[in-house]
Amino acid sequence: MPSPDYKWKRFWCPRSGHINLADGGYLCDPEEKWGKIYNPDLVTFDAISDLPCLALLGEPGIGKSHTIEAEKNEIISEIQKQGGQVLPLDIRSYGSEDRLVSRLFDSLEFTQWLKGTHQLHIFLDSLDECLLRIDTLATLLVDEFKLYQNHIQRLHLRIACRTAVWQPVLEEGLKQIWGKDSVGIYELAPLRRVDVSKAAKIEGIDNPEAFIEEVNRKNVVPLAIKPITLEFLIKTYRSYDGKFPPNRRLHELYLEGCLWLCEERNQSRISSKLKGNLKRQQRLILAARLAAITIFGNKFAIWTGIESDVPADDVLIEKICQGTERVDGREFEISEEAVEEVLDTGLFSSRGELSRMGWVHQTYAEFLAAWYLVQHETPLNQVMKLIVSPEDPERKLIPQLHETAAWLASMRTDVLQEIMKTDPDVLLRSDIPTDANLRAAIVDNLLKQYEQGKLFDSHRDNYPTYEKFKHSGLAVQLLPYIQDLSKPIDARNAAIDIAEDCKVDELQEELVNLALDSSQSIYLRVSAAKAICTVGNLSARLHLKPLTCEQLLEDEDDRLKGYALAAIWSDNLTVEELFNVLTPPKKRNFIRIVSNIS
């Protein structure tokens, strides 16, 4: 994977640019209006194909080789139509400088180019897989191309390489030969939502949107946006008949996905003995060490250059190379070579500068940092010192560490119980155990935090994950908040949202009464009517019919009327009745709700 049949349209980002994954964790589509605004740096290969010298980079598993091959096949015929020649060369099998020089610079294509006046397009693939030392290879190529600088205006060069092993000496040498403005260094961006959907369909998943929804629900989008782990997700999804394993918790799924990214899956590298010296479990624990250092040390990237140039936000690679790690009862030393091997996995990508390597997705770092503490059985008091703000008198979590704290809570019940006391909303991002007493305690703490004004959810950011709190006694727990007028609106509204998302149909009558009660806040009445659309039976929905005929000044955007219409259409409302109650919209919200029921 990926197969040529996917026909994905991929995008490239200059190393000095930025890749935005704000579309729910997917690449913001540069072909869409807002996607272009969010990702102004991204370009197609066509947009950069005229550059005389291009280095096309990508971390393992991102689909670089396939993408470059597809692009090369498309442009070769065009090059030949224009009278140019193509010299494609996969250099992974070359272990001799003389042999490589002979095959490239003494080739028939190259010698004909020197004698002629036509353009020559050289494609060098698998630079990182060459049997020559990468630094030796970089110097060799620069020295050889310099010999033909007088003809360089007729020479186009394309180099494919893994991001982590791209050489500064090669980049600087190419810029000296071709000129700074004629050299482009680009990295391949992750997949868009539409790409994932397309792959799912081609792989035989009948309902790609259901697959996307399951990926979103399981919070595994970072695994879906890379072809290598998308393959893992699709195979897992199909094996369990359209679901991810119900008995496998989210952190277990992430762990398996990270192991995939730590494994060398390129057959040519394996055959060439370039798979590295570490086993994938060793790479994983070392990657987790890097995660703990960057997350808890508030560092942005790993700096592999000289110490005097290290940015303040980075950690120097030498600082990491201390001590040992243990896998399967056996220790191994943390050397600079071992760290570099881990930086060359699919977990990392460059951060704009030649010596700067960072996480390909922040979620990997947050998960592995938590997993590292679990693997080392870090005492609870030390864990809390790492994630709790020392200046906060209420001992609340450091905001930047909420995601890492959620992962910790998924893997350690003692951490979950501590977080529950001060930051129960953070647990919405984690796996919640099925124990009813524990879920009830979390809900109790969550509602009390709203009641005490310590939590605010004006944008309902937490709403999609409330289903995790479902337990047998939830209706009894929520009832006082739905009925009691003395409780704060935010707390009551949270209770309504929980009832809706957990489909607590025992509260239908109370929700209907609240929606119809003109003495209640319009904000709560709208939430109750919305909940009835989900949990209400035919009888409960019918009780909302009077709301479709009323014109309430306080219902400024017609949301109450809109949800009432949605609740009773079409079982309790005829087409004629529907058109009789329609009125000119006050705001767009009403139109959107009506369009959803039509």
Side-chain angles (χ1 to χ4, degrees):
M1 191 173 186
S3 159
D5 294 336
Y6 291 153
K7 292 184 171 58
W8 282 329
K9 186 170 187 177
R10 303 298 300 271
F11 297 88
W12 299 85
C13 181
R15 280 163 61 88
S16 58
H18 175 70
I19 296 175
N20 192 311
L21 302 177
D23 181 18
Y26 299 94
L27 181 72
C28 288
D29 193 342
E31 292 193 318
E32 295 182 352
K33 177 181 177 182
W34 293 109
K36 184 61 179 177
I37 294 173
Y38 283 122
N39 269 322
D41 298 323
L42 267 57
V43 295
T44 62
F45 183 79
D46 287 342
I48 57 176
S49 60
D50 287 338
L51 278 171
C53 183
L54 269 178
L56 302 170
L57 313 179
E59 70 269 10
I62 197 68
K64 165 180 55 66
S65 296
H66 169 81
T67 302
I68 293 173
E69 185 66 24
E71 301 287 6
K72 180 176 70 176
N73 291 338
E74 284 192 14
I75 65 174
I76 282 179
S77 60
E78 188 63 29
I79 291 171
Q80 292 172 338
K81 285 179 184 178
Q82 296 175 3
Q85 271 192 312
V86 177
L87 173 53
L89 183 60
D90 190 329
I91 61 177
R92 61 169 62 115
S93 63
Y94 290 86
S96 161
E97 294 182 35
D98 292 339
R99 180 168 169 252
L100 177 58
V101 169
S102 175
R103 175 62 186 90
L104 177 56
F105 297 101
D106 295 336
S107 65
L108 177 63
E109 296 92 338
F110 199 86
T111 53
Q112 286 180 341
W113 168 74
L114 277 176
K115 297 175 182 178
T117 59
H118 61 276
Q119 299 281 328
L120 178 64
H121 296 252
I122 298 176
F123 290 85
L124 295 183
D125 196 9
S126 308
L127 186 80
D128 51 289
E129 299 177 35
C130 184
L131 297 178
L132 289 168
R133 280 176 53 95
I134 189 67
D135 51 352
T136 300
L137 176 60
T139 303
L140 170 66
L141 290 174
V142 170
D143 289 344
E144 289 296 323
F145 279 119
K146 279 182 178 178
L147 299 177
Y148 307 98
Q149 199 153 0
N150 291 337
H151 306 271
I152 212 67
Q153 70 277 6
R154 292 192 295 114
L155 186 63
H156 292 250
L157 178 64
R158 305 287 180 263
I159 301 178
C161 182
R162 287 187 176 186
T163 302
V165 299
W166 177 248
Q167 294 291 300
V169 64
L170 180 55
E171 181 168 332
E172 292 306 313
L174 296 177
K175 288 179 179 179
Q176 291 175 13
I177 297 169
W178 269 271
K180 183 178 180 180
D181 294 336
S182 297
V183 176
I185 314 294
Y186 286 83
E187 286 188 85
L188 187 59
L191 300 175
R192 303 169 293 172
R193 186 188 298 264
V194 67
D195 299 323
V196 175
S197 178
K198 188 175 186 179
K201 183 176 182 179
I202 292 173
E203 289 293 329
I205 293 176
D206 294 334
N207 189 345
E209 290 310 307
F211 173 73
I212 294 286
E213 289 176 9
E214 181 73 356
V215 166
N216 295 342
R217 190 180 69 81
K218 271 292 190 178
N219 296 320
V220 289
V221 174
L223 300 179
I225 60 176
K226 295 188 67 171
I228 187 172
T229 39
L230 176 59
E231 175 189 6
F232 158 70
L233 290 179
I234 288 176
K235 286 182 177 179
T236 304
Y237 184 84
R238 286 190 308 194
S239 298
Y240 289 87
D241 297 324
K243 293 285 184 181
F244 291 120
N247 59 341
R248 185 178 300 175
R249 301 179 69 190
L250 178 59
H251 70 268
E252 294 169 341
L253 202 59
Y254 256 88
L255 183 61
E256 192 167 343
C258 287
L259 273 170
W260 269 58
L261 291 171
C262 285
E263 187 171 9
E264 180 57 69
R265 308 186 72 84
N266 187 312
Q267 289 301 318
S268 64
R269 287 177 67 91
I270 295 173
S271 301
S272 302
K273 310 298 183 184
L274 291 173
K275 63 180 182 178
N277 299 315
L278 302 178
K279 296 180 179 179
R280 66 174 189 163
Q281 292 85 355
Q282 292 175 312
R283 291 176 180 170
L284 184 68
I285 193 65
L286 183 46
R289 171 189 276 218
L290 300 183
I293 290 171
T294 53
I295 291 295
F296 300 122
N298 196 26
K299 296 298 183 180
F300 178 72
I302 311 298
W303 183 259
T304 61
I306 60 176
E307 183 173 1
S308 59
D309 294 336
V310 60
D313 294 332
D314 293 3
V315 58
L316 186 66
I317 191 171
E318 294 175 6
K319 302 291 185 182
I320 301 167
C321 303
Q322 300 176 20
T324 61
E325 290 292 348
R326 180 183 293 271
V327 171
D328 295 332
R330 304 179 67 176
E331 291 188 346
F332 68 99
E333 185 179 353
I334 308 304
S335 64
E336 191 166 326
E337 292 76 15
V339 176
E340 289 175 346
E341 185 173 324
V342 171
L343 292 176
D344 190 28
T345 67
L347 290 167
F348 294 90
S349 64
S350 77
R351 284 296 175 267
E353 298 182 48
L354 296 174
S355 303
R356 209 175 196 195
M357 295 297 294
W359 295 92
V360 71
H361 200 290
Q362 182 69 3
T363 302
Y364 295 143
E366 292 162 341
F367 164 71
L368 287 172
W371 183 75
Y372 187 78
L373 298 186
V374 173
Q375 289 299 108
H376 284 271
E377 300 180 345
T378 308
L380 178 62
N381 64 326
Q382 292 184 22
V383 171
M384 299 312 293
K385 284 181 180 179
L386 286 171
I387 62 178
V388 169
S389 175
E391 293 85 15
D392 193 328
E394 296 185 3
R395 305 290 295 162
K396 293 181 77 68
L397 299 174
I398 298 170
Q400 294 90 333
L401 297 181
H402 279 186
E403 296 294 339
T404 302
W407 284 116
L408 279 164
S410 297
M411 293 181 264
R412 285 183 49 166
T413 304
D414 58 343
V415 176
L416 183 151
Q417 290 172 334
E418 287 297 314
I419 293 175
M420 179 177 67
K421 300 172 185 176
T422 58
D423 298 84
D425 55 313
V426 171
L427 299 178
L428 292 162
R429 311 175 191 185
S430 68
D431 281 336
I432 304 294
T434 56
D435 181 82
N437 292 329
L438 186 56
R439 290 189 175 193
I442 295 172
V443 172
D444 185 56
N445 278 278
L446 182 74
L447 292 174
K448 283 181 179 177
Q449 291 269 326
Y450 277 116
E451 193 171 356
Q452 296 166 6
K454 296 178 180 179
L455 272 182
F456 303 93
D457 194 21
S458 58
H459 298 291
R460 301 193 182 186
D461 295 328
N462 293 327
Y463 174 69
T465 54
Y466 281 144
E467 63 179 352
K468 299 177 180 181
F469 293 151
K470 189 174 181 63
H471 64 88
S472 57
L474 188 56
V476 175
Q477 193 173 20
L478 298 177
L479 182 60
Y481 285 87
I482 293 176
Q483 290 183 326
D484 192 345
L485 277 65
S486 66
K487 293 189 179 295
I489 288 180
D490 276 352
R492 298 182 68 196
N493 192 67
I496 295 170
D497 286 344
I498 294 172
E500 179 186 354
D501 208 31
C502 294
K503 296 179 175 59
V504 186
D505 54 9
E506 302 99 309
L507 296 174
Q508 294 179 68
E509 183 178 348
E510 287 74 18
L511 291 169
V512 168
N513 292 337
L514 176 54
L516 295 173
D517 190 348
S518 60
S519 68
Q520 299 275 349
S521 160
I522 188 65
Y523 182 64
L524 293 177
R525 295 179 68 190
V526 168
S527 292
K530 179 174 179 289
I532 287 297
C533 292
T534 300
V535 305
N537 56 29
L538 287 177
S539 176
R541 291 168 179 248
L542 181 59
H543 279 89
L544 299 187
K545 192 168 185 177
L547 297 177
T548 65
C549 305
E550 295 184 20
Q551 282 290 96
L552 303 177
L553 292 177
E554 63 269 29
D555 190 16
E556 294 181 353
D557 54 6
D558 282 321
R559 285 173 62 85
L560 182 60
K561 183 173 184 175
Y563 283 122
L565 284 168
I568 66 174
W569 176 263
S570 60
D571 296 306
N572 295 313
L573 194 70
T574 67
V575 174
E576 183 179 359
E577 287 177 315
L578 174 64
F579 282 105
N580 285 337
V581 298
L582 290 181
T583 53
K586 301 172 185 176
K587 291 186 178 180
R588 289 185 180 180
N589 301 54
F590 179 72
I591 297 175
R592 184 171 66 248
I593 294 169
V594 171
S595 68
N596 288 337
I597 66 174
S598 59

